DNA sequence: CTGTTAGCGCTTTCAC
DNA sequence: GTGAAAGCGCTAACAG
């Protein structure tokens, strides 16, 4: 029932293809008739049928986004950025939340293929150690976020970000600084560990291996890692955590043990999720530029449709945001 | 390049329509040939082209989901539920994050219409006071979540949930109980206020109007509301908050003012967002059944395609989850 | 500049 | 039971 090009054509007394051209701003059309038709189409409430167009052009103007858990505070923010950027390009995004089950991941990818999405973005560093191959067979280009090992990716500069955070702690006078890593995410965790070690080395310090805890990820595990650190004879005075959720877990354990933050312990996270600013105390953290990562990923995903990989492999800086969870080293210790 | 039905047909030495029927499990086909063709299709890696099918059948097997900010902790959880439920029905979901700008909301809706989604779900009680009319003109059925005023909606029982929360506080011995509401969400806030008042009334109590603060919504405002309450000569000993984010804001203000929770002040939220369990202290809250809301919304959205509105208007119970932010009334006060 | 004609890949009458 | 053919709404040669 919605009005089609044919309807517009007969109403305008021209042929179907003239309408098609007019609406597509084709150069080969008389300006007057074009504006006339465009206006007529608007009056009639014509809305292009993306399905029909997709069938004819083999371009659906739909982007697929595959995540394992859209509930992850970092991931949602990136997904939101992707959605906005896509809309800016006239694209829609199909969201596919796969969960941890590999079989379901495959099914979800099949669905995406059936829908003939033009390109796929995976803003989730965890997904796809198993699903990635299937994804790549899709035919559609696949862009990853924060997966530097893969060629078509857009990544945060984890090493530099971590270095910045730990340097800051060193500048505050801290010398016993621990790192709580993440096992769900070995590659990223290792990069942040590298930055941590580099910062220490620049101060002529070595990291005590008992200060490299984890790897862990969830806040529960941040909690456990903190507890382990508190049993040391010389516990750390500062903590650099894989991400904000880990930091929040550690904060909980510190609170439970009666360790005051930041007076007795400084804590730095990574990501700068929305919550970080609202936590008690507000979390000092290394902010990822989620919007920018998303924009670039979308641009790359669309460019790859035409085999343009110029944007591939970009490294985006991450910047320390100082808030209430860090302070100078307690003098008494 | 992907294999089409035609390819399968020639490979099988049958006609195109036979393949179509075989793959659609049509009854009018010899069982043997059907299984044969199905197997052959699988071997050849045939994947149905949803675009072509959509053009032929006027059914795209795509659901539209419109939100204002997918980053909202309650909304994401519901969206995740929608995505899962949709996948279970063989549907994909196009996510449209519109932001607060009404103009952009209209554009996003246009995109959805162009994609000819079969149905639309709006799990966001805020969006659409302006966009709703446009949405309804879409032609596609529209289902709302937590918008009881609208006929095709699935809703949490706010009144009963609130009543439960406040009754619990009363049972703990609290008598001076404040409510912090939300102005971004007047309808929901009012329902929860109603439950609050009902619970007080059941104890033969009246609410002091100075205890009905807000309406507010963001955690910053929860903070402000709490500060206002603390200036009262007889501040409340317990707080029922519109939602968890408000509660978290209030918790922050209490912390800043040196008021200990739950020893000196009990706080109850609403929603049970992921974070609630991880906060310090873990938040007592009224849990919405996000999965269930999502499932029902999807079922209704799909049923409405065939004009079946049996599920419309369902009321889903919300249940109190007791955690660490509530305790018996301090005896000294 | 504009009209005619094929498709795009699939479903669905209508015949056989 | 199976095949032939038309058509979904649009684009894109190909003619004029």
């Amino acid at each position: 029932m919605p009005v089609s090009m044919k309807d517009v054509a007969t109403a305008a007394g021209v042929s179907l293809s003239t309408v098609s051209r007019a609406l597509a701003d084709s150069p080969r059309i008389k300006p007057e008739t074009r504006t006339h038709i465009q206006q007529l189409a608007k009056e009639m409430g014509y809305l292009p049928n993306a399905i029909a167009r997709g069938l004819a052009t083999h371009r659906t103007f739909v982007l697929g986004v595959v995540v394992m858990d859209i509930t992850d505070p970092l991931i949602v923010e990136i997904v939101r950025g992707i959605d906005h950027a896509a809309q800016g390009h006239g694209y829609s995004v199909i969201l596919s939340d796969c969960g941890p089950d590999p079989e379901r991941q495959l099914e979800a990818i099949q669905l995406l293929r059936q829908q003939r999405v033009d390109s796929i973005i995976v803003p989730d560093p965890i997904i796809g150690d198993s699903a990635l191959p299937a994804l790549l067979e899709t035919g559609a280009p696949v862009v990853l976020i924060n997966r530097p090992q893969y060629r078509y990716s857009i990544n945060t500069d984890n090493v530099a970000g971590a270095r910045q955070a730990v340097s800051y702690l060193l500048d505050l006078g801290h010398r016993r600084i621990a790192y709580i890593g993440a096992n769900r995410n070995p590659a990223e965790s290792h990069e942040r560990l590298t930055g941590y070690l580099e910062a220490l080395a620049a101060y002529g310090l070595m990291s005590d291996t008992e200060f490299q805890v984890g790897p862990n990820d969830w806040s529960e595990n941040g909690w456990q890692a903190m507890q382990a650190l508190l049993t040391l004879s010389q516990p750390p005075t500062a903590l650099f955590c894989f991400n904000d959720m880990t930091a929040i877990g550690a904060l909980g354990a510190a609170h439970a043990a009666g360790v005051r933050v930041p007076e007795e312990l400084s804590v730095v996270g990574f990501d700068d999720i929305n919550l970080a600013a609202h936590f008690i105390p507000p979390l000092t953290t290394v902010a990822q530029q989620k919007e920018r990562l998303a924009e670039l990923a979308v641009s790359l995903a669309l460019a790859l449709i035409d085999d343009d990989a110029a944007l591939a492999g970009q490294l985006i800086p991450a910047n320390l945001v100082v808030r209430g969870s860090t302070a100078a080293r307690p003098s008494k210790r």
Side-chain angles (χ1 to χ4, degrees), chain A:
Chain A
M1 7 229 217
V3 2
S4 75
M5 273 195 177
K6 201 163 150 194
D7 301 329
V8 178
T10 57
V14 297
S15 85
L16 212 178
S17 33
T18 301
V19 176
S20 174
R21 285 195 272 261
L23 264 29
D25 279 322
S26 157
R28 309 191 316 172
I29 201 170
K30 197 175 359 174
E32 314 157 24
T33 66
R34 180 185 31 177
T35 53
H36 172 227
I37 290 176
Q38 288 186 345
Q39 178 165 353
L40 185 59
K42 175 166 289 186
E43 284 171 10
M44 299 178 64
Y46 170 75
L47 245 195
N49 183 325
I51 301 302
R53 180 189 310 209
L55 186 56
T57 60
H58 298 278
R59 254 220 181 201
T60 53
F61 285 85
V62 175
L63 232 54
V65 171
V66 181
V67 298
M68 201 153 148
D69 182 7
I70 215 243
T71 272
D72 179 300
L74 174 65
I75 303 296
V76 233
E77 289 192 53
I78 296 179
V79 169
R80 190 229 261 144
I82 292 175
D83 205 73
H84 289 179
Q87 284 178 33
H89 290 271
Y91 265 75
S92 297
V93 348
I94 290 188
L95 172 69
S96 192
D97 185 303
C98 295
D101 177 17
E103 199 171 328
R104 278 198 52 160
Q105 294 184 4
L106 290 188
E107 282 172 26
I109 292 169
Q110 295 298 59
L111 260 184
L112 243 37
R113 295 182 60 185
Q114 290 186 208
Q115 293 294 349
R116 297 298 193 267
V117 296
D118 290 341
S119 199
I120 295 178
I121 299 180
V122 184
D124 186 325
I126 294 162
I127 211 179
D129 290 329
S130 58
L132 207 50
L135 225 33
L136 295 173
E137 276 176 27
T138 304
V142 176
V143 170
L144 303 197
I145 295 182
N146 285 338
R147 277 282 194 85
Q149 315 87 301
Y150 175 74
R151 172 153 183 230
Y152 303 118
S153 62
I154 305 287
N155 313 290
T156 283
D157 190 344
N158 287 309
V159 178
R163 208 192 300 122
Q164 207 182 134
V166 177
S167 300
Y168 169 72
L169 290 172
L170 288 163
D171 290 344
L172 284 177
H174 294 279
R175 287 301 174 268
R176 294 203 308 284
I177 303 173
Y179 174 65
I180 300 183
N183 60 359
R184 287 221 323 216
N185 216 325
E188 274 186 304
S189 184
H190 187 262
E191 290 186 2
R192 292 175 194 175
L193 175 62
T194 301
Y196 160 84
L197 294 173
E198 285 183 10
L200 291 178
Y203 257 71
L205 299 175
M206 292 261 296
S207 167
D208 208 325
T209 52
E210 65 182 3
F211 279 174
Q212 297 169 31
V213 207
N216 287 302
D217 189 14
W218 296 329
S219 69
E220 278 86 9
N221 293 336
W223 184 298
Q224 288 163 11
M226 181 75 245
Q227 285 185 317
L229 287 169
L230 288 174
T231 64
L232 296 176
S233 56
Q234 293 261 30
T237 65
L239 228 58
F240 173 52
C241 299
F242 170 70
N243 67 14
D244 291 342
M245 287 311 287
T246 309
I248 284 173
L251 246 28
H255 180 83
V259 176
R260 288 176 308 147
V261 176
E263 293 82 358
E264 302 174 75
L265 177 75
S266 285
V267 175
V268 180
F270 207 108
D271 291 350
D272 193 23
I273 59 179
N274 270 339
L275 175 69
H278 298 290
F279 211 76
I280 306 171
L283 199 59
T284 295
T285 188
V286 180
Q288 295 208 50
Q289 300 190 46
K290 299 131 211 130
E291 294 276 326
R292 187 149 171 62
L293 288 166
E295 273 169 28
L296 284 169
V298 169
S299 296
L300 176 56
L302 298 186
L304 281 177
I305 297 173
D306 308 315
D307 287 315
D308 168 9
L311 266 46
Q314 284 219 21
L315 212 54
I316 311 301
N319 300 303
L320 184 70
V321 177
V322 175
R323 287 198 272 252
S325 64
T326 45
R329 173 178 57 165
S331 50
K332 41 189 166 186
R333 297 177 102 172

